[in-house]
Amino acid sequence: MKKRGVFTSLFAALAAASITFCGITSYAQGRTFVVRGNVHRFANAGNDRGRAAPAFRMEHMTMLFKSTDGQQAELNALLKQQQDPRSPNYHQWLSPEGFANRFGLGQDDVNKVIVWLKAQGFTVEEAARSRGSVTFSGSALQVETAFRTSIHEYGVDGKIYYANATDPSVPAALANIVLGFRSLNNFRLKPKVLKRIIDADAAPQFTSPISGNNYLSPNDFATIYDLSSLYAMGLDGSGQTIAVVGQTDIQLSDIEAFRSASGLPANDPQVILVSGMSDPGVSEADLVEADLDLEWSGGIAPKAQILYVNSGDALVSLQYAIDQNLAPVVSISYGDCEQNFSAGERASLLALAQQANAQGITILGSSGDSGAADCDFSRAAIATHGLAVDLPASLPYVTGIGGSEFHEVTASWSSTNNASNGSALGYIPEIVWNDAGGGSLAAGGGGRSIYFSKPSWQTGSGVPNDSARDVPDLSLNASANHDGYLICSAGSCVNGYRSPSGNLTVVGGTSAGAPSFAAVVALINQRAGSRQGDINPVLYALAASAPAAFHDITSGDNQVPCRMGTVDCTTGSIGYSAGPGYDLATGLGSVDVSVMVASWPVKKRRGQITSQ
């Protein structure tokens, strides 16, 4: 189905609205349409610090286009067919241009929107290959004039942000095609990483069980989650590509030091700056996240090409990775609670994730680090905002990765390290990750979406009959305390993993699981010889047909302390307990990667599906 001719007589319609294309940048006398649901939650009177300077430059704003009802119905049907082995569309992925021809705005109409934006004084940077959006830059005054809103500064948590104070408006001629806007504000998503510095004296051997603590190298992960036999078979990521999205510059020397300390071959990530974006520079708040994501995706799939897609906004990086079709696997370790996204932002992310799946892209997202109270910061002492889950992990088209914690048994670890700095002896039983208490809400994110309904594939033992999208889907180790992931960041590794003073940099959080499982998906792709798209239908089917591919986590909970009388707080804590089968604390559990890869259905030829 081709995009409808929304603007059969667009120029006439705009002219009727008193808009010309001769440099006039206002449509004050014309008919307009308010695009509802495009004001950020924090852009409110209580946070308002006044109007932004008229000359303030706003970069990489995006006008997003919506589909017709017919197009959306066709896309929904296609996404199901692409995961149905009985369908001729099974694993028949679209290119961005193929997606555009079926679900995008007509090219002539896109061109006319571009002409209008330029007439308002904006610099148009690019039209998406999917013809689902146009990206542009300009001043705050130009935004205010063109879209009949005002740009204000807002103070939140000691920082100053900018955002539109009211919903933007567009000419009435655009009413049927504008879904919403992105980057009219700079409220960015939060990294889901927790960092610790381990003093040298307290940990003379980073794999020794002093105070019950150990620290993970990629070799340990491979032993615990059963990847070693795959490596022996040559399933190591060769020929595969993983895109990691971020919002800071990195130092390649850190990634090189990590690979050397981990006994991995040299394999630098390729850094891609989003077209039209200024270099964001190094952000200390984001650097640890970027290093973790790059080092551990490459550590688990050591021969894969890792692309680091960089901009000043992780969501801009995500959109670019998908629209440019950069990789069949995309990892995003950034998120925020669902309630902090406007309706327009949720709709645009849903459309983007659907496009990704239609192109055969698998998205892995972290489920959050504040237990079942995702709107509260993990560093908060007590929850006050009620139950919440993290987005984009809660999107039905994203695989949400939660958190577990190792529960050692006798002889879980060797007292010495091997040549690859590993010492784990085998699988270590897991409980729910929960380090909450003592001034922290650190625990694995999970719960029920308040916006997205139950996907048809989310069924099985333990799955709640709640009509809601439940997260997480899977869980992997996430405790920075027991047992954290070793990384190299900001020059911290000069002697193996150690700093000049002998300290170690150790991290945790569900952001460790997303890039690690992204690497597992790359191994699945390598074995299958093709992309997998949305893997959630396969995961839930495998939980029933190949339960040995999962480690069912039945102990622990992600409950965190809450203030009595606040939202959802009636007993002093909120959250969910683990149990047999699926649960809202750890999803389907963790994985035995070798069994999962061996059990994964592989398309041999049309009409023939096998797991062998």
Side-chain angles (χ1 to χ4, degrees), residues 30 94 133 135 160 168 199-200 299 359-360 362 380 382 407 444 540 564 573 576 588 595 600 612:
L94 301 180
S133 64
T135 300
I160 299 297
D199 182 76
Q359 293 172 192
T362 306
I382 192 166
H407 187 62
Y540 284 82
M564 291 292 291
S573 64
Y576 306 97
L588 297 170
V595 176
W600 201 269
Q612 300 301 316

Side-chain angles (χ1 to χ4, degrees), residues 270-275 307-311 317 320 326:
Q270 178 185 347
V271 179
I272 299 174
L273 181 65
V274 171
S275 176
L307 306 180
Y308 179 58
V309 188
N310 186 23
S311 72
S317 301
Y320 190 79
L326 294 180

Side-chain angles (χ1 to χ4, degrees), residues 141-224:
L141 179 61
Q142 288 168 331
V143 173
E144 292 176 334
T145 303
F147 299 116
R148 281 192 171 184
T149 186
S150 56
I151 304 301
H152 283 219
E153 294 182 337
Y154 296 91
V156 180
D157 291 330
K159 297 181 180 180
I160 299 297
Y161 301 87
Y162 67 83
N164 53 304
T166 59
D167 279 317
S169 295
V170 296
L174 306 184
N176 291 330
I177 65 109
V178 177
L179 175 65
F181 292 84
R182 184 174 295 129
S183 298
L184 291 184
N185 65 70
N186 69 336
F187 289 107
R188 305 300 186 226
L189 299 189
K190 305 176 184 67
K192 301 297 181 180
V193 63
L194 304 175
K195 175 183 175 182
R196 297 175 63 206
I197 300 296
I198 307 301
D199 182 76
D201 293 337
Q205 294 184 19
F206 55 79
T207 57
S208 67
I210 293 178
S211 301
N213 293 328
N214 298 274
Y215 310 104
L216 289 183
S217 70
N219 185 271
D220 292 318
F221 186 101
T223 298
I224 294 166

Side-chain angles (χ1 to χ4, degrees), residues 531-542:
R531 299 176 174 221
Q532 300 300 303
D534 183 6
I535 63 171
N536 288 334
V538 178
L539 290 175
Y540 284 82
L542 282 181

Side-chain angles (χ1 to χ4, degrees), residues 393-455:
S394 66
L395 290 167
Y397 306 96
V398 171
T399 301
I401 308 299
S404 67
E405 182 172 339
F406 295 132
H407 187 62
E408 277 85 353
V409 295
T410 303
S412 291
W413 304 89
S414 170
S415 60
T416 59
N417 305 318
N418 62 27
S420 297
N421 277 327
S423 62
L425 298 175
Y427 174 67
I428 301 175
E430 294 162 277
I431 60 175
V432 183
W433 168 45
N434 194 332
D435 291 332
S440 168
L441 299 180
R448 301 177 177 90
S449 171
I450 61 173
Y451 297 117
F452 304 115
S453 59
K454 180 82 72 185

Side-chain angles (χ1 to χ4, degrees), residues 38 47 58 81 103 112 198 207 216 267 335 410 503:
N38 283 275
N47 296 328
M58 297 175 63
Q81 292 162 6
F103 308 112
K112 292 168 185 176
I198 307 301
T207 57
L216 289 183
N267 186 9
T410 303
N503 294 342

